[in-house]
Coordinates of all heavy atoms in Angstrom, one line a residue:
M1 N 0.6 -14.9 -3.3 CA 0.6 -14.4 -1.9 C 1.9 -13.6 -1.6 O 3.0 -14.1 -1.7 CB 0.5 -15.6 -0.9 CG 0.5 -15.2 0.6 SD -0.9 -14.2 1.1 CE -2.1 -15.6 1.4
K2 N 1.7 -12.4 -1.2 CA 2.8 -11.5 -0.8 C 3.4 -12.0 0.5 O 2.7 -12.4 1.4 CB 2.4 -10.1 -0.9 CG 2.0 -9.6 -2.2 CD 1.7 -8.1 -2.1 CE 0.4 -7.8 -1.4 NZ -0.8 -8.2 -2.2
S3 N 4.7 -11.7 0.7 CA 5.2 -11.9 2.0 C 6.3 -10.9 2.2 O 6.8 -10.3 1.3 CB 5.9 -13.3 2.1 OG 6.9 -13.5 1.1
C4 N 6.5 -10.7 3.5 CA 7.5 -9.6 3.9 C 8.9 -10.0 3.5 O 9.3 -11.1 3.9 CB 7.3 -9.3 5.4 SG 8.4 -8.2 6.1
P5 N 9.6 -9.1 2.9 CA 11.0 -9.4 2.6 C 11.9 -9.5 3.8 O 13.0 -10.0 3.8 CB 11.4 -8.1 1.7 CG 10.5 -7.1 2.0 CD 9.2 -7.7 2.4
L6 N 11.4 -9.0 5.0 CA 12.3 -8.9 6.2 C 12.0 -10.2 7.0 O 12.8 -10.9 7.5 CB 12.0 -7.6 7.0 CG 12.7 -6.4 6.5 CD1 12.6 -5.3 7.5 CD2 14.1 -6.6 6.1
C7 N 10.7 -10.3 7.4 CA 10.3 -11.3 8.4 C 9.5 -12.6 7.8 O 9.2 -13.5 8.5 CB 9.6 -10.8 9.5 SG 7.9 -10.3 9.1
K8 N 9.3 -12.4 6.5 CA 8.6 -13.6 5.7 C 7.2 -13.8 6.1 O 6.6 -14.7 5.8 CB 9.4 -14.9 5.8 CG 10.9 -14.8 5.6 CD 11.1 -14.3 4.2 CE 12.6 -14.3 3.9 NZ 13.0 -13.5 2.7
S9 N 6.7 -12.9 6.9 CA 5.2 -12.9 7.3 C 4.4 -12.7 6.0 O 4.8 -12.0 5.1 CB 4.9 -11.9 8.3 OG 3.5 -11.7 8.4
N10 N 3.2 -13.3 6.0 CA 2.3 -13.1 4.9 C 1.1 -12.2 5.3 O 0.2 -12.1 4.6 CB 1.8 -14.3 4.1 CG 1.2 -15.3 5.1 OD1 0.8 -14.9 6.2 ND2 1.1 -16.6 4.7
M11 N 1.2 -11.6 6.5 CA 0.2 -10.7 6.9 C 0.5 -9.3 6.3 O 0.9 -8.3 7.0 CB 0.2 -10.6 8.5 CG -0.4 -11.9 9.0 SD -0.4 -11.9 10.8 CE -1.5 -10.5 11.1
I12 N 0.3 -9.2 5.0 CA 0.6 -8.0 4.3 C -0.6 -7.2 4.0 O -1.6 -7.8 3.5 CB 1.3 -8.3 3.0 CG1 2.6 -9.2 3.3 CG2 1.7 -7.1 2.2 CD1 3.6 -8.5 4.2
I13 N -0.7 -6.0 4.2 CA -1.9 -5.1 3.8 C -1.5 -4.1 2.8 O -0.3 -3.6 2.7 CB -2.6 -4.4 5.1 CG1 -1.5 -3.5 5.8 CG2 -3.1 -5.5 6.0 CD1 -2.2 -2.8 6.9
D14 N -2.4 -3.7 2.0 CA -2.1 -2.6 1.1 C -2.1 -1.2 1.7 O -2.8 -1.0 2.7 CB -3.3 -2.5 0.0 CG -3.2 -3.8 -0.9 OD1 -2.1 -4.4 -1.0 OD2 -4.3 -4.1 -1.5
I15 N -1.2 -0.4 1.3 CA -1.1 1.0 1.7 C -1.9 1.8 0.6 O -1.4 1.7 -0.6 CB 0.3 1.6 1.9 CG1 1.0 0.6 3.0 CG2 0.2 3.0 2.4 CD1 2.4 1.1 3.1
V16 N -2.9 2.5 0.9 CA -3.7 3.2 -0.1 C -3.5 4.7 0.0 O -3.6 5.3 1.2 CB -5.3 2.9 0.2 CG1 -6.0 3.7 -0.9 CG2 -5.5 1.4 0.1
Y17 N -3.2 5.3 -1.2 CA -2.9 6.7 -1.1 C -4.0 7.5 -1.8 O -4.8 6.9 -2.5 CB -1.7 7.1 -1.9 CG -0.4 6.4 -1.2 CD1 0.0 5.2 -1.6 CD2 0.2 7.1 -0.2 CE1 1.1 4.6 -0.9 CE2 1.3 6.5 0.4 CZ 1.7 5.3 0.0 OH 2.8 4.6 0.7
G18 N -4.1 8.7 -1.5 CA -5.2 9.5 -2.0 C -6.2 9.7 -0.9 O -6.2 9.2 0.2
Y19 N -7.3 10.5 -1.3 CA -8.3 10.7 -0.2 C -9.2 9.5 -0.1 O -9.8 9.0 -1.1 CB -9.1 11.9 -0.7 CG -10.2 12.4 0.4 CD1 -9.8 13.1 1.5 CD2 -11.5 11.9 0.2 CE1 -10.8 13.5 2.4 CE2 -12.4 12.3 1.2 CZ -12.0 13.1 2.3 OH -12.9 13.4 3.3
P20 N -9.4 9.0 1.1 CA -10.1 7.8 1.2 C -11.6 8.0 1.4 O -12.1 8.9 2.0 CB -9.6 7.2 2.6 CG -9.1 8.5 3.3 CD -8.7 9.4 2.3
G21 N -12.4 7.2 0.7 CA -13.8 7.2 0.9 C -14.3 6.5 2.2 O -13.4 6.1 2.9
D22 N -15.5 6.5 2.4 CA -16.0 5.9 3.7 C -15.6 4.4 3.7 O -15.2 3.9 4.8 CB -17.6 5.9 3.7 CG -18.1 7.4 3.9 OD1 -17.2 8.1 4.3 OD2 -19.2 7.6 3.7
E23 N -15.7 3.7 2.6 CA -15.4 2.2 2.7 C -13.9 2.0 3.0 O -13.6 1.2 3.8 CB -15.7 1.7 1.2 CG -15.6 0.2 1.3 CD -16.0 -0.4 -0.2 OE1 -16.9 0.3 -0.8 OE2 -15.4 -1.4 -0.5
L24 N -13.1 2.9 2.4 CA -11.6 2.7 2.8 C -11.3 3.1 4.2 O -10.5 2.4 4.9 CB -10.8 3.6 1.8 CG -10.2 3.0 0.5 CD1 -9.4 4.1 -0.1 CD2 -9.4 1.8 0.9
Q25 N -12.0 4.1 4.7 CA -11.8 4.4 6.2 C -12.2 3.3 7.0 O -11.6 3.1 8.0 CB -12.5 5.8 6.4 CG -11.9 6.9 5.7 CD -12.4 8.3 6.3 OE1 -12.9 8.4 7.3 NE2 -12.2 9.4 5.5
D26 N -13.3 2.7 6.7 CA -13.7 1.6 7.5 C -12.9 0.4 7.4 O -12.5 -0.2 8.5 CB -15.1 1.1 6.9 CG -15.8 0.0 7.7 OD1 -15.9 0.3 8.9 OD2 -16.1 -0.9 7.3
E27 N -12.3 0.1 6.2 CA -11.3 -1.0 6.1 C -10.0 -0.6 6.9 O -9.4 -1.4 7.5 CB -10.9 -1.2 4.7 CG -12.1 -1.9 3.9 CD -11.7 -2.3 2.5 OE1 -10.6 -2.1 2.1 OE2 -12.5 -2.9 1.9
A28 N -9.6 0.6 6.9 CA -8.5 1.1 7.5 C -8.6 1.0 9.1 O -7.6 0.5 9.8 CB -8.0 2.6 7.2
S29 N -9.8 1.3 9.5 CA -10.1 1.2 11.0 C -10.0 -0.2 11.5 O -9.9 -0.5 12.6 CB -11.4 1.9 11.3 OG -12.5 1.1 10.9
R30 N -10.3 -1.1 10.5 CA -10.4 -2.6 10.9 C -9.0 -3.2 10.6 O -8.9 -4.4 10.6 CB -11.4 -3.3 10.2 CG -12.8 -3.1 10.8 CD -14.0 -3.8 10.2 NE -14.3 -3.3 8.8 CZ -14.4 -4.0 7.7 NH1 -14.3 -5.3 7.8 NH2 -14.8 -3.4 6.6
G31 N -8.0 -2.5 10.1 CA -6.6 -2.9 9.9 C -6.5 -3.7 8.6 O -5.5 -4.4 8.4
K32 N -7.5 -3.6 7.7 CA -7.4 -4.3 6.4 C -6.5 -3.6 5.4 O -6.0 -4.2 4.5 CB -8.8 -4.5 5.8 CG -9.6 -5.5 6.7 CD -11.0 -5.8 6.1 CE -10.9 -6.6 4.8 NZ -12.2 -6.9 4.3
V33 N -6.4 -2.3 5.5 CA -5.6 -1.5 4.7 C -4.9 -0.4 5.6 O -5.4 -0.2 6.7 CB -6.3 -0.7 3.5 CG1 -6.9 -1.8 2.6 CG2 -7.3 0.3 4.0
K34 N -3.9 0.2 5.1 CA -3.3 1.3 5.8 C -3.4 2.6 4.9 O -3.2 2.5 3.6 CB -1.8 1.1 6.0 CG -1.1 2.3 6.7 CD 0.4 1.9 7.0 CE 1.2 3.2 7.1 NZ 0.7 4.2 7.9
L35 N -3.9 3.6 5.4 CA -4.0 4.9 4.6 C -2.7 5.6 4.6 O -2.1 5.9 5.6 CB -5.1 5.8 5.2 CG -6.4 5.2 5.2 CD1 -7.4 6.2 5.9 CD2 -6.9 4.8 3.9
G36 N -2.2 5.9 3.4 CA -0.9 6.4 3.3 C -0.9 8.0 3.1 O 0.2 8.6 3.1
G37 N -2.1 8.5 3.1 CA -2.2 10.0 3.0 C -2.4 10.4 1.5 O -2.3 9.6 0.6
C38 N -2.6 11.7 1.3 CA -2.9 12.2 0.0 C -1.7 12.5 -0.8 O -1.8 12.6 -2.1 CB -3.8 13.5 0.1 SG -5.3 13.3 1.0
L39 N -0.6 12.5 -0.3 CA 0.7 12.9 -1.0 C 1.2 11.6 -1.6 O 1.5 10.6 -1.0 CB 1.7 13.4 -0.1 CG 2.6 14.6 -0.6 CD1 1.7 15.7 -1.0 CD2 3.6 14.9 0.4
I40 N 1.3 11.7 -3.0 CA 1.8 10.5 -3.6 C 3.2 10.7 -4.2 O 3.5 11.6 -5.0 CB 0.9 10.1 -4.9 CG1 -0.5 9.9 -4.4 CG2 1.5 9.0 -5.7 CD1 -1.5 9.6 -5.6
E41 N 4.2 10.1 -3.6 CA 5.6 10.2 -3.8 C 6.1 9.0 -4.6 O 5.5 7.8 -4.4 CB 6.4 10.4 -2.6 CG 5.9 11.4 -1.6 CD 6.4 12.9 -2.1 OE1 7.2 12.8 -3.1 OE2 6.1 13.8 -1.4
P42 N 7.1 9.2 -5.4 CA 7.6 8.0 -6.2 C 8.1 6.9 -5.3 O 8.1 5.7 -5.7 CB 8.8 8.6 -7.0 CG 8.6 10.0 -7.0 CD 7.8 10.4 -5.7
D43 N 8.6 7.2 -4.1 CA 9.2 6.1 -3.2 C 8.2 5.6 -2.2 O 8.6 5.0 -1.2 CB 10.5 6.5 -2.6 CG 10.4 7.8 -1.8 OD1 9.3 8.4 -1.9 OD2 11.2 8.1 -1.1
N44 N 6.9 6.0 -2.3 CA 6.0 5.5 -1.3 C 5.9 4.0 -1.4 O 5.8 3.5 -2.5 CB 4.5 6.1 -1.7 CG 4.3 7.5 -1.2 OD1 5.1 8.0 -0.5 ND2 3.2 8.0 -1.6
P45 N 5.9 3.3 -0.3 CA 5.7 1.8 -0.2 C 4.3 1.5 -0.6 O 3.3 2.3 -0.4 CB 6.1 1.5 1.2 CG 5.7 2.7 2.0 CD 6.1 3.9 1.1
E46 N 4.1 0.4 -1.1 CA 2.7 -0.1 -1.6 C 2.1 -1.0 -0.5 O 0.9 -1.1 -0.4 CB 2.8 -0.8 -2.9 CG 1.5 -1.1 -3.5 CD 1.6 -1.8 -4.8 OE1 2.7 -2.1 -5.2 OE2 0.5 -2.2 -5.3
Y47 N 3.0 -1.7 0.3 CA 2.5 -2.7 1.1 C 3.1 -2.5 2.5 O 4.2 -2.0 2.6 CB 2.9 -4.2 0.7 CG 2.4 -4.4 -0.7 CD1 3.3 -4.7 -1.7 CD2 1.1 -4.5 -1.0 CE1 2.9 -4.9 -3.0 CE2 0.6 -4.8 -2.3 CZ 1.5 -5.0 -3.3 OH 1.1 -5.3 -4.6
R48 N 2.4 -2.9 3.5 CA 2.9 -2.9 4.9 C 2.8 -4.2 5.6 O 1.7 -4.9 5.5 CB 2.1 -1.8 5.8 CG 2.5 -1.8 7.2 CD 1.6 -0.8 7.9 NE 1.9 -0.8 9.3 CZ 2.9 -0.1 9.9 NH1 3.6 0.7 9.2 NH2 3.1 -0.1 11.2
C49 N 3.8 -4.7 6.2 CA 3.8 -5.9 6.9 C 3.3 -5.6 8.3 O 3.6 -4.8 9.1 CB 5.2 -6.5 7.1 SG 5.4 -7.9 8.2
K50 N 2.2 -6.4 8.7 CA 1.5 -6.2 9.9 C 2.3 -6.8 11.1 O 2.1 -6.6 12.3 CB 0.1 -6.8 10.0 CG -0.8 -6.0 9.1 CD -2.3 -6.5 9.1 CE -3.0 -6.2 10.4 NZ -4.4 -6.6 10.3
S51 N 3.2 -7.7 10.8 CA 4.0 -8.4 11.8 C 5.1 -7.5 12.3 O 5.3 -7.4 13.5 CB 4.6 -9.7 11.2 OG 3.5 -10.6 10.9
C52 N 5.9 -6.9 11.4 CA 7.1 -6.1 11.8 C 7.0 -4.6 11.5 O 7.8 -3.8 11.9 CB 8.4 -6.7 11.3 SG 8.6 -6.4 9.5
G53 N 6.0 -4.3 10.7 CA 5.8 -2.8 10.4 C 6.6 -2.4 9.2 O 6.6 -1.2 8.8
H54 N 7.3 -3.3 8.5 CA 8.1 -2.9 7.4 C 7.2 -2.6 6.3 O 6.2 -3.2 6.0 CB 9.0 -4.1 7.0 CG 9.9 -3.8 5.8 ND1 10.7 -2.7 5.8 CD2 10.0 -4.4 4.6 CE1 11.5 -2.9 4.7 NE2 11.0 -3.8 4.0
E55 N 7.5 -1.5 5.5 CA 6.7 -1.1 4.4 C 7.6 -1.2 3.2 O 8.8 -0.8 3.1 CB 6.3 0.3 4.6 CG 5.3 0.4 5.7 CD 4.8 1.8 6.0 OE1 5.4 2.8 5.5 OE2 3.9 2.0 6.9
F56 N 7.0 -1.7 2.1 CA 7.8 -2.0 0.9 C 7.0 -2.1 -0.4 O 5.8 -2.0 -0.3 CB 8.5 -3.5 1.1 CG 7.5 -4.6 1.3 CD1 7.2 -5.4 0.2 CD2 6.9 -4.8 2.4 CE1 6.3 -6.4 0.3 CE2 6.0 -5.8 2.6 CZ 5.7 -6.6 1.5
G57 N 7.8 -2.2 -1.5 CA 7.1 -2.5 -2.7 C 6.7 -1.3 -3.6 O 6.1 -1.4 -4.7
G58 N 7.0 0.0 -3.1 CA 6.4 1.1 -3.9 C 7.1 1.4 -5.2 O 6.4 1.6 -6.2
L59 N 8.5 1.4 -5.2 CA 9.2 1.9 -6.4 C 9.0 1.1 -7.6 O 8.7 1.5 -8.7 CB 10.6 2.0 -6.1 CG 11.5 2.9 -6.9 CD1 10.9 4.4 -6.8 CD2 13.0 3.0 -6.4
D60 N 8.9 -0.2 -7.3 CA 8.7 -1.1 -8.5 C 7.3 -0.8 -9.1 O 7.2 -0.7 -10.4 CB 8.6 -2.6 -8.0 CG 10.0 -3.1 -7.5 OD1 11.0 -2.3 -7.9 OD2 10.1 -4.1 -6.9
K61 N 6.3 -0.6 -8.3 CA 5.0 -0.4 -9.0 C 5.0 1.0 -9.7 O 4.4 1.1 -10.7 CB 4.0 -0.4 -7.8 CG 2.6 -0.1 -8.1 CD 1.8 -1.3 -8.6 CE 0.4 -1.0 -9.0 NZ -0.5 -0.8 -7.9
F62 N 5.7 1.9 -9.1 CA 5.7 3.3 -9.7 C 6.3 3.2 -11.0 O 5.9 3.9 -12.0 CB 6.4 4.3 -8.8 CG 6.2 5.7 -9.3 CD1 5.2 6.4 -8.9 CD2 7.3 6.4 -10.0 CE1 5.0 7.7 -9.3 CE2 7.1 7.6 -10.5 CZ 6.0 8.4 -10.1
L63 N 7.3 2.4 -11.2 CA 8.0 2.3 -12.5 C 7.3 1.5 -13.5 O 7.6 1.4 -14.6 CB 9.4 1.7 -12.2 CG 10.3 2.6 -11.4 CD1 11.6 1.9 -11.1 CD2 10.6 3.9 -12.1
N64 N 6.3 0.8 -13.1 CA 5.4 0.0 -13.9 C 4.5 0.8 -14.6 O 3.8 1.7 -14.0 CB 4.8 -1.1 -13.0 CG 4.1 -2.2 -13.9 OD1 3.5 -1.8 -15.0 ND2 4.2 -3.4 -13.4
D65 N 4.2 0.6 -15.9 CA 3.2 1.4 -16.7 C 1.8 1.3 -16.1 O 1.0 2.2 -16.2 CB 3.2 1.0 -18.2 CG 4.4 1.4 -18.9 OD1 5.0 2.4 -18.4 OD2 4.7 0.8 -19.9
E66 N 1.5 0.2 -15.5 CA 0.2 -0.1 -14.9 C -0.2 1.0 -13.8 O -1.3 1.4 -13.8 CB 0.1 -1.4 -14.3 CG -0.2 -2.5 -15.3 CD -0.3 -3.8 -14.5 OE1 -0.8 -3.9 -13.5 OE2 0.2 -4.8 -15.2
F67 N 0.8 1.4 -13.1 CA 0.6 2.4 -12.1 C 0.1 3.7 -12.8 O -0.7 4.3 -12.1 CB 1.9 2.6 -11.3 CG 1.8 3.6 -10.2 CD1 1.3 3.1 -9.0 CD2 2.1 4.9 -10.4 CE1 1.2 4.0 -7.9 CE2 1.9 5.8 -9.3 CZ 1.5 5.4 -8.0
I68 N 0.6 4.1 -13.8 CA 0.3 5.4 -14.4 C -1.2 5.3 -14.9 O -1.9 6.2 -14.8 CB 1.2 5.7 -15.6 CG1 2.7 5.9 -15.1 CG2 0.8 6.8 -16.3 CD1 3.8 5.9 -16.1
N69 N -1.6 4.2 -15.3 CA -3.0 4.0 -15.8 C -3.9 3.8 -14.6 O -5.1 3.8 -14.9 CB -3.1 2.9 -16.8 CG -2.3 3.1 -18.0 OD1 -2.1 4.2 -18.5 ND2 -1.7 2.0 -18.6
D70 N -3.3 3.6 -13.5 CA -4.2 3.1 -12.4 C -5.3 4.1 -12.0 O -6.4 3.8 -12.3 CB -3.2 2.9 -11.1 CG -3.8 1.8 -10.2 OD1 -4.2 0.7 -10.9 OD2 -3.8 2.0 -9.0
D71 N -5.0 5.2 -11.4 CA -6.1 5.9 -10.8 C -5.7 7.4 -10.7 O -6.3 8.2 -10.0 CB -6.5 5.4 -9.5 CG -8.0 5.8 -9.2 OD1 -8.8 5.8 -10.1 OD2 -8.3 6.1 -8.0
L72 N -4.7 7.9 -11.5 CA -4.3 9.2 -11.3 C -5.0 10.2 -12.2 O -5.3 9.9 -13.3 CB -2.7 9.3 -11.6 CG -1.9 8.5 -10.6 CD1 -0.5 8.5 -11.0 CD2 -2.0 9.2 -9.2
Ligands
ZN101 ZN1 7.7 -8.2 8.2

């Protein structure tokens, strides 16, 4: 279970980058994910805390080999 590094909340949602399909847009409208836009930057955060709005986790993932194989 992920938790926020600032407020320790576990209400964490994924931030999804790239062009969203219908399913993703639906999830975003229900607050299950956050759409990060089409621009993929190295320092984009991966998660968003719904309690305090803090976004975190991007750089670690980007430096991980798994990210490169992910969906680019
Ligand atoms: Zn938080």
Side-chain angles (χ1 to χ4, degrees):
M1 179 66 83
K2 291 183 289 289
S3 62
C4 175
L6 287 189
C7 71
K8 310 301 181 195
S9 167
N10 58 16
M11 291 180 57
I12 305 300
I13 59 175
D14 291 336
I15 304 175
V16 181
Y17 296 94
Y19 186 81
D22 288 345
E23 191 177 327
L24 263 184
Q25 291 192 19
D26 186 52
E27 289 187 358
S29 71
R30 285 184 285 134
K32 293 181 70 177
V33 300
K34 174 179 160 47
L35 300 180
C38 296
L39 217 61
I40 299 176
E41 304 279 0
D43 58 348
N44 277 353
E46 188 186 0
Y47 306 113
R48 177 182 175 86
C49 172
K50 290 181 74 173
S51 293
C52 72
H54 182 56
E55 297 179 345
F56 61 98
L59 203 54
D60 291 346
K61 178 87 181 285
F62 189 83
L63 294 173
N64 191 321
D65 285 339
E66 281 181 30
F67 182 84
I68 294 167
N69 297 327
D70 211 43
D71 203 39
L72 291 176

